């Protein structure tokens, strides 16, 4: 079994995989993160809607404080430190929803995992490709990227 998370789903995927691996029962062989963020708070602050609504005095109270109140943290940068699996992060340079900088922050956080853990690989798609936030699936080389990653972990 493999787990694939995209965008907001990467927050759920990393938390679920961390839970599964910490239970030490059956768990996935690898984690794939497409257009991920480091944590939901950074993602919210850089989201296109935040550029508009973030200027309003009530934005933090309504949105960010509410996430704290209801325990919505989605801290990929924390969970990835506890995931003892190979991880492939894929991000497009022209992603306007979750900027590639947040994917790179997640990748940088992963570098502090124990040396005994399998690798975290970051694959960047150039902005000239036009994949933006949701078109990485259309990359002709995607099957080769996934195949090479899987060969490297088996």
């Amino acid at each position: 079994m493999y787990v694939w998370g995209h965008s907001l789903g990467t927050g759920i995927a990393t938390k679920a995989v961390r839970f599964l691996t910490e239970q030490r029962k059956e768990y996935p062989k690898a984690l794939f993160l497409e257009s991920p963020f480091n944590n939901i708070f950074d993602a919210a602050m850089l989201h296109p809607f935040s550029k508009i609504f973030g200027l309003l005095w009530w934005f933090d109270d309504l949105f960010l404080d509410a996430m704290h109140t209801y325990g919505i943290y989605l801290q990929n940068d924390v969970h990835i430190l506890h995931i003892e699996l190979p991880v492939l992060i894929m991000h497009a340079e022209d992603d306007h929803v979750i900027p590639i900088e947040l994917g790179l922050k997640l990748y940088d956080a992963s570098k502090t995992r124990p040396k005994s853990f399998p690798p975290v690989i970051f694959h960047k798609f150039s902005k000239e490709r036009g994949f933006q936030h949701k078109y990485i699936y259309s990359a002709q080389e995607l099957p080769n990227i996934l195949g090479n990653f899987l060969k490297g972990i088996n």
Side-chain angles (χ1 to χ4, degrees), residues 3-139:
V3 174
W4 187 298
H6 174 257
S7 190
L8 185 61
T10 64
I12 291 145
T14 57
K15 186 171 183 174
V17 169
R18 177 183 178 180
F19 174 80
L20 290 171
T21 58
E22 287 178 342
Q23 296 301 307
R24 295 281 180 205
K25 295 181 180 174
E26 267 197 56
Y27 50 85
K29 293 185 178 193
L31 174 61
F32 299 89
L33 300 175
E34 179 185 352
S35 304
F37 51 88
N38 57 328
N39 62 67
I40 193 64
F41 301 104
D42 285 355
M45 295 312 295
L46 291 177
H47 192 276
F49 288 139
S50 293
K51 292 176 180 157
I52 299 166
F53 295 111
L55 300 173
L56 300 171
W57 63 270
W58 46 263
F59 177 75
D60 286 353
D61 291 338
L62 180 67
F63 186 68
L64 298 178
D65 291 349
M67 287 194 298
H68 275 298
T69 300
Y70 293 103
I72 301 171
Y73 298 111
L74 300 180
Q75 297 172 307
N76 294 343
D77 51 359
V78 172
H79 297 307
I80 202 165
L81 301 177
H82 303 275
I83 295 173
E84 195 174 348
L85 297 175
V87 179
L88 176 61
I89 298 173
M90 297 170 285
H91 218 121
E93 286 182 317
D94 61 340
D95 189 331
H96 59 281
V97 177
I98 306 290
I100 192 169
E101 291 79 15
L102 298 184
L104 289 167
K105 280 186 175 184
L106 177 60
Y107 179 61
D108 287 344
S110 76
K111 293 177 184 178
T112 64
R113 294 177 356 147
K115 299 291 183 212
S116 61
F117 280 22
V120 174
I121 306 296
F122 189 94
H123 187 86
K124 173 177 60 174
F125 293 91
S126 71
K127 60 184 172 190
E128 291 78 25
R129 306 290 298 279
F131 292 145
Q132 299 178 8
H133 184 66
K134 58 183 182 177
Y135 298 110
I136 288 175
Y137 75 89
S138 66

